[in-house]
């Protein structure tokens, strides 16, 4: 009996201990007080708690973390290092405006990241570094205006990228490089009006592309040919008015959405290079007729709903083609009256008849009499219009206010456009000469395209009367100069494109008639020098952005930039041999300076002193820079956010410690000498709050290693003075109180002989630096 009681007592004691152990284990599981945690699902929810920092008490085994509806504003580097097992992360509606490089480092298991409904404006290089398993990325409903090349390089497994409802206007070349497994790219609801030819290069697996609800005026044929696997393309709600021959050259495309645009006509050869098309949606455009479509052999549905289709004899070929090919025509007739609202699929060829010439002429005269313009009001007609006021061979859309005569072989500017026209496209013609008053009746035109027109002379007053013109494109012509009165009569002009001409100087006299000019493009001209004489003080008093890339500029005289409050200055790919330091004194508001691609071997002391208070972004890539003075960046401080010196010949760098506001720095492809003279840079990298890419070029055994990873600095001797002359890092000699960094675990300590050898090496380097300094002082 006693033995039985003892056994029972032991049993209950064991059970009690197990329960106690289990209870203590559960209590030990981490869960921030602001959050709710589900241990069985390994889920943590901290939504709507007005948190300003990522909570630190989240258990490291958490796989799903919900942080939506908080107020983080910025995601710093290493924000999630304490939760390495996350697979799903929600950060929508958190007022995030910046994502620092390395913010997601350590999240190699995350497959879904939601950053929607935030305030992110720029996607920086390596913003998503560490997300190597990511499959879905939601960036919709942000303020994104720019995608920097390399932003997605780490996301090789990404399948879906949502960038809808942002502020993108332009997609540059290689913007999505690295996304080789992307299946669906969503760019709807932006303001895209231009796509670079290589914008989608590298998207080898992309099968669906959404570009609806943007501002595209032309089908981006050249860009789309880089998408060999796309099957579904959505371009609805853009501003296209015409599709020319071979516009759609996509060999695997099956579904094409071109509805709710301004299409007034399209070539029967528009889809000739898209033979697999099965569904084409052309609904709610301005199409009155359509020729049989050459190319698609498997077309099942052609949607023409909402178009003013006029069902007469001109529609017979399309109807016959659809019947033979088995394509279903969706939509209804808008006229003539006896066929109004009759479904296209039920109309027979016998119904599609043309009236006699006299009757047709009578109808046209009646409709012209009904089209009255009284300061902008157009009286609606009971039947679709058969004629529109428009020059011969051109297309005019009175509803979208667009007119185009692109590449029609004109040698004189056509006239007679609808008075409400706002966008006038004349590119690709052969005008050669634009005489005075060439654009009568175009007082409402906002954007005028004259690219690739072989123009070599513009007479004074050529644009007279275009009082609402904001955008003028004169790119890729043969202009060598501009008359002083060339831009008379366009006082509102804001954006002027003159790139790709043969101008030898900035046309300052002509610019003096443009009091509202904001952006001036002069890339790819023959300008060799900037002189104050050619730029009167009255020239473009509001100019902020001046682009002079790819000219032959070898010098900028002092006072040459004093004519405008320039904020952005691009001088890349010119013939400069030194930083135009004195000229920058005339640009006190300069925020962005691009000097890349010039041949500048040496950056002297305080080279950017005159712009030090305003400069935010400085680009000096591929310039062949061999040395920078230790004071080269002196004066630049927390205001500088971008610094790039990639692809130069630098062995050492100046002091970077004052640049505490940097968000992007690129030191790659420089043959840095990794010895004790570079120790201050190594320490700066260790303390920096952003990712710094810098590799060793010397000595040979360290070539290719990251400066941040090499152990060479652990051997720097105690109390060594690191000379900074001739470009060494640091603005003054650095006394290292304890330069011998503790050896990492597993690394053997140096013996006495090795320490002696390193001291001798340091002494030789010191003597060498001293000799170089004396030589410099002697010069």
């Amino acid at each position: 009996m006693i033995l039985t009681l003892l056994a029972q007592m032991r049993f209950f004691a064991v059970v009690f201990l197990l329960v106690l152990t289990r209870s203590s284990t559960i209590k030990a599981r981490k869960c921030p007080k602001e959050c709710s945690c589900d241990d069985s699902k390994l889920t943590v929810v901290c939504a709507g708690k007005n948190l300003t920092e990522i909570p630190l008490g989240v258990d490291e085994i958490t796989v799903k973390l919900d942080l939506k509806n908080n107020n983080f504003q910025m995601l710093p580097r290493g924000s999630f290092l304490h939760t390495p097992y996350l697979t799903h992360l929600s950060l929508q509606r958190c007022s995030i405006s910046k994502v620092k490089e390395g913010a997601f480092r350590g999240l190699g298991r995350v497959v879904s990241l939601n950053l929607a409904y935030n305030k992110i404006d720029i996607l920086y290089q390596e913003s998503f570094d560490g997300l190597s398993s990511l499959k879905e990325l939601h960036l919709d409903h942000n303020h994104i205006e720019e995608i920097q090349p390399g932003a997605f390089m780490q996301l090789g497994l990404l399948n879906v990228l949502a960038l809808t409802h942002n502020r993108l206007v332009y997609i540059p070349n290689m913007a999505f490089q690295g996304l080789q497994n992307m299946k669906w790219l969503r760019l709807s609801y932006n303001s895209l009006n231009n796509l670079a030819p290589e914008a989608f290069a590298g998207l080898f697996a992309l099968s669906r592309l959404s570009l609806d609800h943007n501002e595209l005026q032309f089908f981006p044929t050249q860009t789309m040919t880089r998408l060999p696997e796309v099957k579904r393309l959505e371009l609805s709600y853009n501003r296209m008015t015409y599709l020319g021959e071979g516009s759609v050259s996509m060999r695997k495309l099956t579904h094409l959405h071109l509805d709710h645009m301004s299409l007034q006509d399209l070539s029967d050869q528009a889809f000739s290079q898209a033979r697999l098309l099965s569904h084409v949606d052309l609904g709610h455009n301005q199409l009155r007729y359509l020729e049989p479509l050459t190319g698609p052999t498997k077309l099942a549905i052609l949607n023409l709903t909402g178009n003013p289709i006029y069902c007469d004899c001109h529609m017979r070929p399309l109807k016959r083609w659809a019947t033979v090919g088995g394509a279903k025509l969706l939509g209804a007739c808008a006229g003539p009256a006896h066929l109004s609202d009759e479904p296209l699929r039920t109309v027979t060829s016998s119904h599609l008849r043309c009236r006699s010439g006299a009757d047709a002429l009578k109808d046209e005269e009646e409709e012209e009499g009904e089209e009255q313009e009284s300061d902008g009001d157009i009286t609606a007609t009971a039947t679709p219009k058969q004629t529109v006021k428009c020059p011969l061979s051109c297309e005019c859309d009175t509803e979208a206010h667009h007119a185009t005569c692109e590449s029609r072989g004109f040698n004189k500017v056509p006239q007679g456009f609808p008075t409400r026209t706002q966008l006038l496209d004349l590119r690709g013609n052969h005008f050669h000469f634009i005489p005075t008053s060439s654009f009568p009746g175009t007082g409402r035109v906002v954007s005028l395209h004259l690219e690739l027109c072989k123009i070599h002379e513009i007479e004074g007053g050529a644009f007279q009367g275009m009082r609402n013109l904001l955008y003028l494109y004169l790119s890729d012509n043969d202009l060598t100069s501009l008359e002083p009165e060339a831009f008379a009569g366009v006082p509102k002009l804001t954006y002027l494109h003159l790139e790709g001409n043969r101008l030898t100087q900035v046309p300052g006299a002509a610019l003096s008639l443009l009091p509202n000019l904001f952006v001036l493009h002069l890339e790819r001209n023959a300008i060799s020098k900037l002189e104050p004489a050619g730029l009167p003080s009255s020239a473009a008093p509001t100019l902020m952005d001046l682009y002079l890339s790819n000219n032959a500029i070898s010098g900028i005289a002092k006072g040459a930039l004093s004519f405008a409050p320039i904020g952005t200055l691009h001088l890349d790919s010119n013939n400069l041999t030194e930083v135009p330091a004195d000229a920058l004194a005339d640009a006190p508001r300069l925020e962005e300076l691009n000097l890349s691609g010039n041949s500048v071997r040496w950056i002297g002391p305080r080279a950017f002193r005159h712009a030090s208070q305003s400069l935010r972004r400085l680009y000096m890539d591929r310039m062949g820079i061999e040395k920078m003075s230790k004071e080269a960046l002196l004066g630049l401080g927390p205001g500088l956010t971008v610094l790039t010196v990639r692809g130069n010949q630098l062995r050492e760098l100046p002091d970077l410690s004052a640049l505490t506001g940097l968000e992007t720095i690129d030191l790659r492809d420089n043959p840095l000498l990794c010895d004790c003279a570079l120790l201050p840079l190594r320490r700066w990298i260790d303390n920096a709050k952003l990712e710094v890419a810098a590799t060793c070029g010397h000595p040979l055994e360290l070539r290719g290693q990251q400066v941040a990873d090499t152990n060479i600095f652990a051997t720097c001797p105690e109390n060594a003075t690191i000379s900074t002359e001739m470009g060494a890092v640091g603005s003054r000699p650095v006394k290292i109180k304890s330069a011998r960094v503790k050896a990492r675990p597993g690394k053997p300590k140096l013996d006495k002989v090795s320490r002696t050898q390193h001291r001798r090496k340091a002494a030789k380097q010191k003597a060498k630096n001293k000799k170089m300094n004396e030589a410099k002082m002697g010069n």
Side-chain angles (χ1 to χ4, degrees):
M1 184 70 177
I2 294 173
L3 290 173
T4 303
L5 286 172
L6 288 171
Q8 289 177 344
M9 289 174 67
R10 288 194 188 98
F11 172 76
F12 285 120
V14 170
V15 171
F16 176 75
L17 288 171
L18 287 172
V19 172
L20 186 63
T21 302
R22 174 65 176 164
S23 175
S24 64
T25 302
I26 293 174
K27 288 181 180 178
R29 184 71 55 80
K30 296 179 181 178
C31 186
K33 62 181 181 179
E34 307 92 346
C35 310
S36 59
C37 305
D38 187 333
D39 293 339
S40 62
K41 296 180 180 179
L42 300 178
T43 300
V44 176
V45 178
C46 313
K49 301 299 181 180
N50 202 31
L51 299 174
T52 58
E53 294 182 352
I54 306 297
L56 296 176
V58 180
D59 198 292
E60 68 174 358
I61 64 173
T62 301
V63 296
K64 292 186 178 180
L65 179 58
D66 187 349
L67 294 169
K68 64 175 174 285
N69 291 308
N70 282 291
N71 189 29
F72 299 130
Q73 298 187 20
M74 182 190 74
L75 294 181
R77 182 180 181 183
S79 293
F80 302 96
L81 290 175
H82 56 292
T83 51
Y85 297 100
L86 285 182
T87 60
H88 293 72
L89 177 58
S90 298
L91 287 162
Q92 63 266 44
R93 300 184 187 276
C94 286
S95 300
I96 298 169
S97 59
K98 290 196 179 297
V99 178
K100 294 286 190 178
E101 291 184 10
F104 301 110
R105 189 152 301 142
L107 296 182
R109 293 178 172 84
V110 168
V111 295
S112 177
L113 173 60
N114 195 330
L115 283 163
Y117 291 95
N118 281 291
K119 299 177 181 178
I120 300 169
D121 56 355
I122 299 178
L123 298 181
Y124 294 102
Q125 188 177 18
E126 299 179 355
S127 288
F128 305 106
D129 185 23
L131 298 168
S132 55
S133 299
L134 197 64
K135 297 292 184 65
E136 292 188 10
L137 176 57
H138 295 271
L139 289 163
D140 45 294
H141 293 88
N142 274 275
H143 300 165
I144 298 170
E145 298 177 346
E146 180 182 354
I147 301 174
Q148 293 189 349
F152 305 112
M153 279 297 291
Q154 308 295 324
L155 309 183
L157 297 180
L158 196 67
N159 294 150
V160 178
L161 174 59
L163 284 163
T164 63
H165 295 276
N166 277 285
R167 299 175 181 177
L168 292 168
V169 175
Y170 172 68
I171 303 293
N173 287 323
M174 310 302 290
F176 303 102
Q177 189 176 13
L179 302 180
Q180 60 268 21
N181 286 297
M182 175 69 63
K183 298 293 191 297
W184 185 11
L185 176 57
R186 301 172 58 193
L187 289 164
S188 313
Y189 291 96
N190 279 277
S191 299
L192 291 169
N193 59 50
N194 195 5
L195 305 175
E198 301 288 339
F200 301 128
L203 298 176
F204 305 116
L206 193 70
S207 60
R208 183 175 180 181
L209 175 60
S210 301
L211 282 164
D212 53 286
H213 293 86
N214 277 284
E215 303 290 332
L216 295 170
Q217 299 174 22
F218 307 96
F219 191 92
T221 304
Q222 189 176 4
T223 305
M224 293 303 170
T225 56
R226 271 66 169 180
L227 297 172
E229 299 297 321
V230 167
K231 296 179 180 178
R232 188 183 186 97
L233 176 60
E234 293 146 358
L235 281 166
S236 314
Y237 292 94
N238 277 278
R239 296 187 176 186
M240 298 180 198
T241 59
Y242 175 71
L243 289 183
E245 181 178 342
S247 293
V248 185
S249 298
M250 306 175 75
R251 57 188 179 87
K252 290 192 177 182
L253 191 66
T254 59
H255 290 69
L256 177 60
H257 295 265
L258 297 168
D259 53 288
H260 292 88
M261 300 206 299
S262 301
L263 288 174
Q264 195 171 7
D265 190 17
L266 57 88
S267 168
D268 63 318
Q269 300 283 332
F271 308 131
S272 61
Q273 302 301 315
R275 304 183 68 83
L276 296 183
L277 274 175
S278 61
H279 292 71
V280 176
D281 190 349
L282 292 168
H284 300 280
N285 280 286
Q286 300 300 315
L287 298 169
R288 291 175 57 80
Y289 302 98
L290 204 64
E291 295 290 333
L293 301 177
T294 301
T297 58
K298 300 181 179 181
L299 195 65
I301 293 178
L302 177 59
N303 185 16
L304 294 170
T305 303
N307 282 276
I309 300 296
Y310 201 78
C311 293
D312 62 6
C313 62
H314 298 292
M315 283 291 290
R316 284 180 187 171
L318 181 70
K319 181 68 178 179
R320 189 180 303 114
W321 168 82
T323 302
V324 172
K328 183 184 293 186
L329 294 180
L330 303 181
C333 299
H338 69 283
L339 291 177
S340 182
D341 297 326
E342 185 72 23
L344 292 177
R345 64 179 181 275
T346 63
V347 175
T348 64
S349 294
S350 61
H351 294 140
L352 300 173
R353 295 179 301 210
C354 287
R355 304 178 68 185
S356 67
D359 290 338
L361 180 61
K362 182 180 179 181
D363 287 346
E364 289 182 8
E365 290 174 348
E366 288 177 355
E367 289 181 1
E368 284 182 1
E370 291 173 355
E371 184 183 355
Q372 301 291 331
E373 287 194 2
S374 127
D375 196 23
D377 293 331
I378 301 178
T379 305
T381 59
T383 58
K385 301 170 191 160
Q386 289 188 283
T387 60
V388 175
K389 180 185 178 184
C390 192
L392 189 66
S393 300
C394 300
E395 287 90 35
C396 303
D397 186 339
T398 54
E399 184 175 337
H401 309 305
H402 291 180
T404 179
C405 310
E406 180 187 0
S407 301
R408 303 302 162 86
F410 286 108
N411 52 33
K412 291 183 179 180
V413 176
Q415 298 181 3
F417 295 98
T419 56
R420 286 185 166 223
T421 301
Q422 294 181 5
L423 184 146
L424 180 54
D425 190 350
L426 301 172
R427 76 184 78 188
N429 287 288
H430 307 128
F431 297 136
H432 300 288
F433 172 63
I434 308 293
T436 301
S437 301
S438 288
F439 302 92
T442 57
R444 298 189 183 184
V445 169
V446 173
S447 180
L448 174 60
H449 290 263
L450 289 167
E451 305 101 306
L452 297 160
C453 286
K454 300 184 178 180
I455 300 169
H456 61 79
E457 184 180 353
I458 298 175
E459 195 173 28
F463 308 104
Q464 192 72 43
M466 304 188 80
R467 57 188 177 276
N468 287 300
L469 191 65
L470 297 178
Y471 304 87
L472 177 55
Y473 298 88
L474 287 164
S475 318
D476 298 294
N477 281 290
D478 298 322
L479 294 167
T480 57
S481 63
L482 285 168
E483 291 189 17
E485 301 292 321
F487 300 125
V490 285
K492 293 184 180 180
L493 193 67
T494 306
Y495 300 87
L496 177 57
H497 289 259
L498 288 165
E499 65 267 31
N501 280 280
R502 293 185 289 151
L503 296 169
T504 57
Q505 62 181 12
V506 179
L511 300 181
S512 64
L513 296 179
L514 303 176
N516 292 295
L517 189 64
F518 188 79
V519 178
L520 176 59
H521 287 272
L522 286 166
E523 305 97 314
R524 297 183 288 111
N525 275 281
I527 301 169
S528 59
K529 194 170 184 179
L530 299 185
E531 297 280 3
L535 295 165
S537 58
S538 60
T542 61
L543 186 67
M544 286 293 294
D545 298 346
L546 177 58
Y547 298 95
L548 290 160
S549 310
N550 288 282
N551 276 276
I553 299 171
S554 58
I556 303 177
K558 183 173 176 55
L561 301 176
S562 61
F563 68 100
I566 295 173
T568 297
L569 179 60
H570 283 203
L571 293 164
D572 47 304
S573 300
N574 275 284
N575 297 333
L576 294 171
T577 57
E578 61 182 7
V579 175
D582 292 337
L584 296 181
D586 302 311
R589 300 185 188 180
L590 189 64
E591 293 188 3
E592 178 173 312
L593 177 61
N594 191 338
L595 294 169
S596 301
N598 284 282
S599 183
V600 180
R601 306 298 180 192
W602 158 257
I603 307 292
R606 298 171 59 84
F608 307 98
R609 60 189 180 277
H610 294 303
S612 60
Q613 299 302 310
S614 60
L615 200 60
R616 299 291 178 264
R617 298 172 295 278
L618 177 58
Y619 302 92
M620 297 190 293
D621 302 326
R622 303 176 304 280
M623 295 171 63
I625 304 173
E626 297 173 354
K627 292 180 181 178
M628 295 177 70
S629 164
K630 64 181 181 180
E631 297 180 343
L633 304 178
L634 194 63
L636 297 175
L640 195 70
T641 60
V642 177
L643 174 63
T644 69
V645 289
R646 184 176 183 177
N648 286 291
Q649 299 299 315
L650 291 167
R651 294 166 66 93
E652 298 170 327
L653 290 167
D655 184 22
L656 303 176
S657 61
L659 308 181
T660 57
L662 282 178
E663 297 173 357
T664 300
I665 183 168
D666 195 343
L667 307 174
R668 287 175 291 179
D669 304 325
N670 280 286
L672 295 175
L673 175 60
C674 288
D675 63 6
C676 291
L678 209 63
L679 181 59
L681 175 65
R682 166 60 185 274
R683 288 178 171 172
W684 183 83
I685 291 175
D686 289 342
N687 294 325
K689 295 180 180 179
L690 70 163
E691 187 69 18
V692 182
T695 53
C696 300
H698 303 282
L700 187 61
E701 60 270 19
L702 297 179
R703 181 172 296 175
Q705 289 190 28
Q706 289 289 329
V707 173
D709 297 333
T710 182
N711 292 328
I712 188 66
F713 303 104
T715 64
C716 292
E718 291 182 355
N719 301 320
T721 300
I722 308 301
S723 174
T724 62
E725 297 299 331
M726 293 301 291
V729 178
S731 59
R732 58 182 180 275
V734 180
K735 287 284 187 178
I736 304 174
K737 294 181 179 178
S738 182
R740 184 181 296 148
V741 182
K742 213 178 226 183
R744 297 185 179 182
K747 296 290 182 181
K749 293 182 179 180
L750 295 171
D751 57 23
K752 185 175 181 180
V753 173
S754 298
R755 289 198 298 271
T756 302
Q757 290 175 342
H758 284 293
R759 288 194 184 98
R760 289 175 178 173
K761 182 179 179 181
K764 289 181 180 179
Q765 182 65 40
K766 181 179 178 181
K768 180 180 178 182
N769 288 339
K770 182 178 179 182
K771 186 176 181 181
M772 293 173 68
N773 186 39
E774 290 173 350
K776 179 183 176 184
M777 295 296 290
N779 292 332

